[in-house]
Amino acid sequence: MEACGEEVQVQLLGGSTSPYVIALAHKGIHYEYIEENIQNKSELPLKSNPVHKKITVLIHTGKPVCESTIIVQYIDETWDTRAPFLMPKDPYDRAIARFWAAFIDDKLLPCIRAVFRGQGEHCHKSVEETVANFLILEEALRTHLCFSGKAYFGGDGIGFVDIALGGLLTFVNALEKGIDSVLIDAEKMPLLSAWMDRFCEADGVKEVMPDPVKLLEFICATRVKFASLPAAN
């Protein structure tokens, strides 16, 4: 890969449940993918992300960039002459995209994690909260000026919000099987469901999404471990 006429090195530290290679693949950027064991990380991600000690981490020419949505913005800004472009050019549209990406990160993702970790009534309540957040996204697709009538949150093509949400889809689909419950209901969320089908079949996406069988195995095995832990007081 070349940028500014110089060979550069791009590494992505991730795990089997971390599909944020989508932004790199979508823009055709070559990278080295280093898979990390989420439960037993090596020294590299711990040194690269010393504050949160989490993956995903992008390392570009030896410099780490942390947190998935920040990574996507960094990729788009660094390779700003390489289409497709992930962030809208219009400042208002860009602000709206950041708002909804933050909604996914701050509201939806914690609910999905709570479903994954929860048991019994706690899991049931988290499912309800997750569904409620997906319904908010359905309403945004239906009524928001920036999204209504368009194939993707990014318009005619995949953009920032699509990647922020789409990166969760394989996990969500596997989680539905693991808990035997529906999180994205095609009848209640026809626009979101249709968007999901388009996103998952898009070139540059389906090739890099996690293996759903391995992901389901991981979810089921981990939930068994969670169930064996003492209940929190």
Side-chain angles (χ1 to χ4, degrees):
M1 181 198 64
E2 291 185 357
C4 302
E6 296 181 0
E7 188 74 14
V8 297
Q9 184 178 16
V10 179
Q11 295 173 309
L12 189 70
L13 312 182
S16 59
T17 61
S18 301
Y20 287 94
V21 298
I22 296 170
L24 290 166
H26 201 54
K27 288 180 80 76
I29 299 165
H30 300 296
Y31 60 93
E32 178 189 5
Y33 180 63
I34 302 174
E35 184 160 329
E36 287 285 336
N37 185 326
I38 295 175
Q39 309 299 329
N40 185 25
K41 302 182 191 73
S42 72
E43 191 66 21
L44 183 57
L46 298 179
K47 292 171 71 173
S48 301
N49 189 1
V51 175
H52 297 297
K53 304 187 187 306
K54 297 190 303 182
I55 50 177
T56 304
V57 176
L58 179 83
I59 300 177
H60 180 209
T61 60
K63 297 179 289 188
V65 182
C66 306
E67 301 299 312
S68 296
T69 55
I70 295 173
I71 289 171
V72 174
Q73 293 178 76
Y74 176 84
I75 290 168
D76 205 43
E77 292 169 0
T78 300
W79 289 273
D80 58 353
T81 61
R82 182 176 297 200
F85 307 110
L86 305 177
M87 295 296 292
K89 291 184 178 180
D90 180 81
Y92 176 76
D93 292 346
R94 197 157 57 243
I96 294 302
R98 287 183 173 129
F99 171 86
W100 285 105
F103 171 83
I104 292 162
D105 247 14
D106 298 340
K107 296 287 288 183
L108 178 62
L109 185 54
C111 291
I112 293 172
R113 285 178 177 150
V115 173
F116 173 49
R117 294 173 176 273
Q119 305 292 327
E121 183 59 31
H122 179 70
C123 181
H124 178 72
K125 181 180 179 181
S126 298
V127 166
E128 291 181 342
E129 292 173 350
T130 302
V131 170
N133 283 318
F134 275 127
L135 285 169
I136 291 172
L137 289 167
E138 171 74 15
E139 185 64 14
L141 282 173
R142 186 186 313 280
T143 63
H144 200 289
L145 181 64
C146 292
F147 310 139
S148 180
K150 298 176 181 176
Y152 297 99
F153 287 95
D156 295 330
I158 289 171
F160 181 45
V161 180
D162 299 285
I163 290 176
L165 181 58
L168 306 175
L169 289 180
T170 308
F171 186 85
V172 169
N173 289 339
L175 184 59
E176 288 180 320
K177 295 181 176 67
I179 63 171
D180 192 24
S181 188
V182 176
L183 299 174
I184 301 177
D185 189 326
E187 291 188 6
K188 295 179 180 178
M189 308 172 203
L191 298 177
L192 190 61
S193 181
W195 165 85
M196 179 176 66
D197 292 341
R198 281 192 297 272
F199 181 87
C200 290
E201 289 301 315
D203 292 337
V205 173
K206 57 186 176 182
E207 297 87 354
V208 297
M209 293 293 264
D211 184 327
V213 175
K214 290 182 180 179
L215 202 46
L216 179 58
E217 291 173 354
F218 165 79
I219 287 170
C220 292
T222 307
R223 282 181 54 78
V224 168
K225 291 180 183 179
F226 287 149
S228 67
L229 295 174
N233 293 327

